[in-house]
Amino acid sequence: MLTTARVDIPAPVAARLKAAAEYSDNVNDYAREDLIGFSRPISAAFALVAPLAIAFAYQADPWFAVQIAGAIIMLVAGGLYVIGRQEWPNIVAKFQDCVMTKRKAIADLRCGFGESSFLSNGRAPQFFAHDHGVLLLADAGDMKTLFFDISNDGTDPRWELYESGEICRRVWRWLRLPVSREVVKFSTEGARLARIGEPPRIKSIEAWEAINVSLGEPMDGAIIHQPFDEVIDNVKRMMY
């Protein structure tokens, strides 16, 4: 059975949200930091090599050092122009993601609480693999199904639990933020549940879209108001 209660946002999570909320939402500042702040490996390497080259040239001939410095300035200006034009769409996209993260963080902080959930699994969960992780469906009782979308991009701690098999335990506890609905903490305990082989794989984007729509386009950690077996049967029918 699934139970949920309001709790204070833990201090480490609140600190992360505050850091995200203080992000500058000026795209020019972001581009300046990205292109001129040496956040890219090639620019960082250039920033290290250029002063050394000028220093060695100055030891040999001051006028030669001036020429080297002028060439470096022209190279930097041209590089910023060319790379800036090519990379600007990517920079804007990343900036927009950061701005959205900031807005969600502010909203979560203003709410001031999280949703702590506890689930005692009476049955083994069902997994469906896709290119970016796995979908997890679990019986939440009362003719409801719990939905998790676990990412394999390295930022989701549940992925390690999934790969190690630790997620197949009887008791789950997690914390979900109130506005962004992000699952920020997840732990398992209790006896292991049976896990049957490799999960079936969702092989096409069309199948993924059909499954997502049929489930009501749920967010990570959402409750689907359909019986567990019915949801599993529907997903399996639309997989291929």
Side-chain angles (χ1 to χ4, degrees):
M1 293 294 293
L2 175 67
T3 59
T4 301
R6 286 189 179 185
V7 297
D8 293 334
I9 297 176
V13 177
R16 178 174 65 82
L17 293 176
K18 289 177 181 177
E22 293 171 356
Y23 174 79
S24 173
D25 55 359
N26 185 309
V27 67
N28 292 323
D29 291 342
Y30 181 84
R32 188 180 303 113
E33 179 182 351
D34 188 86
L35 291 175
I36 304 177
F38 307 123
S39 60
R40 296 171 185 268
I42 188 171
S43 60
F46 186 81
L48 176 64
V49 172
L52 293 176
I54 295 174
F56 282 116
Y58 183 81
Q59 293 294 327
D61 183 359
W63 174 243
F64 183 57
V66 172
Q67 292 177 319
I68 291 292
I72 289 175
I73 291 173
M74 293 180 62
L75 182 62
V76 169
L80 287 175
Y81 176 75
V82 174
I83 295 175
R85 287 189 59 184
Q86 292 178 346
E87 292 295 324
W88 185 253
N90 295 331
I91 291 172
V92 171
K94 292 178 181 177
F95 168 76
Q96 291 174 342
D97 290 341
C98 292
V99 170
M100 184 60 66
T101 299
K102 173 182 179 176
R103 293 174 180 172
K104 291 179 179 179
I106 292 173
D108 287 328
L109 285 171
R110 285 178 178 173
C111 282
F113 64 87
E115 295 179 0
S116 177
S117 298
F118 170 94
L119 177 65
S120 179
N121 286 297
R123 306 169 61 184
Q126 177 73 49
F127 301 93
F128 296 93
H130 57 86
D131 290 341
H132 304 291
V134 293
L135 301 183
L136 186 160
L137 298 170
D139 190 353
D142 296 328
M143 302 183 71
K144 298 176 183 178
T145 302
L146 176 64
F147 171 90
F148 283 131
D149 185 5
I150 302 175
S151 173
N152 61 3
D153 62 1
T155 63
D156 194 329
R158 293 170 296 176
W159 179 253
E160 293 184 7
L161 295 174
Y162 165 73
E163 286 199 310
S164 66
E166 286 297 304
I167 204 166
C168 290
R169 289 192 178 274
R170 187 166 297 280
V171 175
W172 294 349
R173 301 179 191 272
W174 67 95
L175 179 69
R176 196 179 186 202
L177 296 177
V179 178
S180 65
R181 313 308 291 166
E182 179 187 359
V183 177
V184 293
K185 292 180 66 177
F186 192 93
S187 63
T188 65
E189 59 188 74
R192 284 184 178 271
L193 299 169
R195 179 172 171 179
I196 304 174
E198 290 298 318
R201 188 171 189 83
I202 303 172
K203 297 182 179 180
S204 68
I205 187 64
E206 291 80 10
W208 163 257
E209 291 176 349
I211 291 170
N212 194 39
V213 171
S214 71
L215 297 178
E217 299 183 339
M219 298 181 69
D220 187 24
I223 294 296
I224 301 171
H225 293 272
Q226 298 177 28
F228 178 65
D229 290 328
E230 180 180 320
V231 172
I232 298 301
D233 290 342
N234 289 338
V235 171
K236 287 182 176 179
R237 275 201 307 269
M238 290 179 286
M239 283 188 58
Y240 304 102

